[in-house]
Amino acid sequence: EPEVTQTPSHQVTQMGQEVILRCVPISNHLYFYWYRQILGQKVEFLVSFYNNEISEKSEIFDDQFSVERPDGSNFTLKIRSTKLEDSAMYFCASSSWDYGYTFGSGTRLTVV
Amino acid sequence: RKEVEQDPGPFNVPEGATVAFNCTYSNSASQSFFWYRQDCRKEPKLLMSVYSSGNEDGRFTAQLNRASQYISLLIRDSKLSDSATYLCVVNSGAGSYQLTFGKGTKLSVIP
């Protein structure tokens, strides 16, 4: 079964540092997403990406965040100047046109 | 604010029991509805889409009431492997691929 692959599985960073979370979506999917889940909280939408541009973003996705598809396979989330409250599980997902989302196994980001 | 509300549980049920989860959503523009399951510290996994006419997948039955903005999931003959958190999920409106998640209902199936 096709998978969405995320790396690293766990990232520890110091407050104020920049992190890049990486994802390889399913190859024939056209829509890509980042969600996050703070421990004990609900899964929250950050951003969706289609046709090499952002199609939707939430209030959480401010200037601190950016996404990129640097080549034909990778999809990255960059968080600049991390804050303690950015600590969360970050899930990448991809889908085809029929909302069939597949989530990656997540990157646990810990900001210290 | 677009919300999805669920009873957090936990629901502790014996093997073989039937259990029902309910969910309400606030965004009347939502057009797509799903149940996901999430195991502890894992990613959400699609359990089933929910259609207006109701739909069944083995032991799982989902219902949708658009007028009441209410979604349900029924699990029959519970198995130990059904223990997980069940997430009610809706999209954010026509043409939107953004999903809004409920906080989830935790189910523990006890031997």
Side-chain angles (χ1 to χ4, degrees), chain A residues 26-32 49-52 94-97:
Chain A
I26 292 173
S27 60
N28 62 348
H29 282 180
L30 300 177
Y31 301 88
F32 315 117
F49 194 85
Y50 171 71
N51 201 25
N52 286 318
S94 67
S95 73
S96 56
W97 62 272

Side-chain angles (χ1 to χ4, degrees), chain A residues 31 33 35 37 39-43 45 56 89 91 95-97 99 101 103-105 108, chain B residues 1 3 32 34 36 38 41-44 46 87 91 93 95-99 101-103:
Chain A
Y31 301 88
Y33 315 87
Y35 284 77
Q37 187 175 30
L39 188 64
Q41 302 298 314
K42 63 183 179 181
V43 177
F45 171 78
E56 296 175 273
M89 181 74 95
F91 293 110
S95 73
S96 56
W97 62 272
Y99 296 101
Y101 267 59
F103 282 86
S105 56
R108 180 166 298 282
Chain B
R1 188 177 175 88
E3 298 285 353
S32 300
F34 312 92
Y36 278 74
Q38 186 175 30
R41 293 179 178 257
K42 301 286 188 181
E43 73 273 23
L46 179 65
L87 309 176
N91 85 317
S96 172
Y97 287 81
Q98 175 182 337
L99 298 182
F101 284 74
K103 200 171 175 182

Side-chain angles (χ1 to χ4, degrees), chain B residues 35 48-51 54-56 60-64 72-74:
Chain B
W35 284 100
M48 60 195 301
S49 300
V50 187
Y51 303 115
N55 49 297
E56 186 174 307
F60 300 86
T61 301
Q63 297 280 350
L64 168 65
S72 66
L73 176 69
L74 185 76

Side-chain angles (χ1 to χ4, degrees), chain A residues 78-109:
Chain A
K78 182 188 290 186
I79 310 175
R80 288 180 282 276
S81 188
T82 49
K83 305 189 283 278
L84 294 176
E85 54 265 37
D86 294 328
S87 295
M89 181 74 95
Y90 288 81
F91 293 110
C92 175
S94 67
S95 73
S96 56
W97 62 272
D98 63 351
Y99 296 101
Y101 267 59
T102 301
F103 282 86
S105 56
T107 293
R108 180 166 298 282
L109 177 65

